[in-house]
Amino acid sequence: MNEELVEAKIIDYGTLRELYKEVQFIRQYSKILKMKGQDVGPPPHNIPKELYYLALNSNEVKYGPIEIIGNNPYKLKGINAIVKSEREEIPLYAVIDFTNNIKVYLAYEKPRSIVGVDIGVRHLITIVALRNGKLWKTRFWGKELITDEMIKILGDPQGVSEIKNIRSKVRKVINDIVNFIDELNPKIVALEDLRIFENKVGNTLRNIEIELEQQLYSRGIKYKLVDPYNTSKICSNCGFKKGEVLGPLFVCPACGFKADRDFNAAYNLALKCYYTC
């Protein structure tokens, strides 16, 4: 669902109170008739048919979509109620909740996000999501999993078999990651282009990325491979290009910003795609 419901302030109730009384009466009256084994009958003329059957058959009585008229404040067509929203965007429609009280919700298109994904040897996956160009959500995945697998791969003189098996080992966690990304309603996902790395670590991470790419593709989530050059050293806070990586930490000598190095890299990938993708 690419829409979100936001409660609005009711300025003028119009016929909302009358409809609410009818809904509550229908719900109580129908219980009595059902106990007696009697039919409820057709809807009365003073309530919309759809609302009548919602009151009869649903625990939650949410009526809509309802067309809205005018600019903020908005009028609900056919009900003559007037509501006001704190959001600047124009809503798509309204929904009225008559379940236990009267609440009016306005439906808005969910803002799209830009998602940056860093694949590494400390955290399997680090995700940074931007919304409207600002940091929105961050999450780390699979620290123990990738650490254990890297020990096996680097401990093997060849490591070929372990590299080939890595995709099947991370498949489940990648599926969880893609579920999380999907919930972010991404416009695009920025992945670092790992094809340029040809050593054992690079090949391992690239195989993980291929699994991620295939699952994103199968879900219809758009992604782009982004040049990873300097993403670990650029300061995501001020843009200084010669930051320092001290073990797990990124430190910017220009502005003093400190952050997890994987977070800084994922943030830079998201920012790069926000401006160029």
Side-chain angles (χ1 to χ4, degrees), residues 121 143-157 159 162 200-201 204:
V121 297
K143 183 176 181 179
E144 293 78 13
L145 173 61
I146 191 61
T147 300
D148 292 343
E149 291 305 319
M150 280 300 174
I151 290 173
K152 294 177 184 176
I153 291 167
L154 295 177
D156 187 326
E162 294 294 340
K200 279 201 291 187
V201 172
T204 302

Side-chain angles (χ1 to χ4, degrees), residues 178-248:
V178 173
N179 287 338
F180 177 74
I181 292 174
D182 197 22
E183 291 173 359
L184 301 175
N185 193 30
K187 180 180 179 182
I188 193 166
V189 177
L191 307 175
E192 52 188 337
D193 189 349
L194 298 175
R195 293 174 297 182
I196 61 175
F197 302 109
E198 296 182 352
N199 54 24
K200 279 201 291 187
V201 172
N203 286 334
T204 302
L205 299 182
R206 177 57 188 154
N207 271 274
I208 294 170
E209 185 172 59
I210 290 171
E211 180 64 32
L212 177 57
E213 287 177 20
Q214 290 192 354
Q215 292 201 32
L216 289 171
Y217 179 80
S218 69
R219 297 282 286 274
I221 300 173
K222 186 178 179 181
Y223 67 88
K224 183 175 181 179
L225 296 178
V226 177
D227 185 357
Y229 177 73
N230 242 14
T231 51
S232 61
K233 293 186 177 181
I234 296 174
C235 177
S236 58
N237 185 59
C238 73
F240 184 69
K241 295 182 179 180
K242 295 183 179 180
E244 298 177 5
V245 177
L246 306 175

Side-chain angles (χ1 to χ4, degrees), residues 77-101:
K77 186 176 181 180
I79 297 172
N80 297 323
I82 298 175
V83 299
K84 188 174 183 179
S85 173
E86 294 181 355
R87 298 273 290 263
E88 295 181 358
E89 311 99 288
I90 299 174
L92 304 172
Y93 56 85
V95 173
I96 305 169
D97 188 346
F98 288 112
T99 306
N100 297 312
N101 209 323

Side-chain angles (χ1 to χ4, degrees), residues 6-73:
V6 178
E7 187 173 359
K9 182 179 180 181
I10 302 173
I11 298 174
D12 187 331
Y13 279 80
T15 60
L16 285 173
R17 289 194 174 100
E18 289 79 2
L19 289 171
Y20 178 71
K21 290 178 183 178
E22 288 293 332
V23 166
Q24 299 308 312
F25 172 77
I26 290 166
R27 297 179 83 185
Q28 294 302 319
Y29 186 56
S30 65
K31 288 180 182 179
I32 296 171
L33 292 180
K34 288 177 181 178
M35 289 174 63
K36 293 181 177 181
Q38 298 178 19
D39 293 332
V40 179
H45 69 278
N46 60 340
I47 185 171
K49 182 168 65 174
E50 295 85 357
L51 180 56
Y52 174 76
Y53 287 113
L54 272 173
L56 286 179
N57 302 314
S58 301
N59 292 326
E60 292 187 346
V61 185
K62 294 183 177 180
Y63 178 53
I66 297 168
E67 184 179 345
I68 56 175
I69 303 171
N71 295 319
N72 202 5

